[in-house]
Amino acid sequence: MSVVPEHRPVNKIDARSSVELNNEKIAIVFFEVVRNRLQHVNSWPIIAENLATTFQLANKEGIEVYRKAKEGDFVKMIIESPESKNFSSVNWNRIQSLTDISNNDGIDSFGFNLTKCNGPINWKKDGVHHSNDSLCEFIVARTGKVVTASILEIGKDAEGAEIRKNAIGTTGSSALVHIDWQKLANGLISR
């Protein structure tokens, strides 16, 4: 996973939000704030305001935790149906890789890659079974005075389509997940 945003066709980007700050020193400090927000997965619904999805971080043993995300952690996504308060879909994902890049050329980047998996209960018993397709990359980057939050969809093959279908299938609206990602990107960058 490269956490330096590469030039990709626009249709592969689920969400992106940027802010240009007054100077590079302020941008460096703000980048750290945004990075901290990204790492606190449990706070995403608060950061983004009114997400239709709840995120719960769990450690490698599957125990719910309230701390910064680490490589190997699980992320439980609970997607509420807008049509019925009594129905939700639960999806388990795993942080496969976490990358932190900082250099002296005015570029900082942090991100992680979520891959759909079978969840911690089966993982303890059978080991983690990942799909061959990543669900998303979550990236925050600073280039000079600009800080950007991006959420990039990786999977475009049949299995990736199945992951997306499962993640949104019971909500009745594929636009719902896209809106959630954009709300999260905007919330991460809000000042």
Side-chain angles (χ1 to χ4, degrees), residues 35-51:
R35 176 175 126 154
N36 190 49
R37 289 175 182 169
L38 179 64
Q39 287 180 283
H40 283 91
V41 172
N42 297 334
S43 298
W44 288 359
I46 297 164
I47 291 167
E49 297 183 21
N50 301 317
L51 284 179

Side-chain angles (χ1 to χ4, degrees), residues 31-191:
F31 168 78
E32 291 301 325
V33 169
V34 174
R35 176 175 126 154
N36 190 49
R37 289 175 182 169
L38 179 64
Q39 287 180 283
H40 283 91
V41 172
N42 297 334
S43 298
W44 288 359
I46 297 164
I47 291 167
E49 297 183 21
N50 301 317
L51 284 179
T53 305
T54 301
F55 298 88
Q56 176 61 56
L57 187 67
N59 66 16
K60 292 177 182 181
E61 289 75 39
I63 299 167
E64 292 182 359
V65 293
Y66 298 88
R67 58 161 169 73
K68 290 181 179 180
K70 297 179 183 178
E71 193 169 309
D73 283 346
F74 290 96
V75 177
K76 180 169 69 171
M77 297 170 56
I78 304 166
I79 304 164
E80 302 296 330
S81 170
E83 288 83 30
S84 171
K85 300 279 185 200
N86 299 325
F87 189 81
S88 61
S89 173
V90 176
N91 293 287
W92 283 98
N93 301 278
R94 188 124 192 231
I95 297 175
Q96 280 301 102
S97 60
L98 189 139
T99 307
D100 194 359
I101 299 171
S102 182
N103 67 39
N104 295 328
D105 294 332
I107 298 172
D108 294 305
S109 180
F110 173 82
F112 53 83
N113 186 334
L114 282 183
T115 304
K116 186 165 178 60
C117 70
N118 60 347
I121 293 172
N122 292 330
W123 171 74
K124 289 179 188 176
K125 183 174 58 177
D126 303 327
V128 178
H129 299 282
H130 297 286
S131 70
N132 293 325
D133 195 48
S134 297
L135 181 59
C136 286
E137 279 185 3
F138 294 81
I139 303 164
V140 294
R142 181 192 64 83
T143 305
K145 301 186 302 185
V146 177
V147 177
T148 302
S150 301
I151 300 159
L152 304 157
E153 182 178 16
I154 307 301
K156 289 293 182 188
D157 61 9
E159 190 171 354
E162 187 64 24
I163 290 169
R164 289 186 300 283
K165 179 180 146 202
N166 289 338
I168 63 173
T170 58
T171 65
S173 172
S174 62
L176 184 63
V177 171
H178 178 79
I179 292 168
D180 281 354
W181 294 143
Q182 189 60 54
K183 282 183 179 181
L184 178 59
N186 293 344
L188 290 168
I189 293 296
S190 69
R191 293 192 281 168

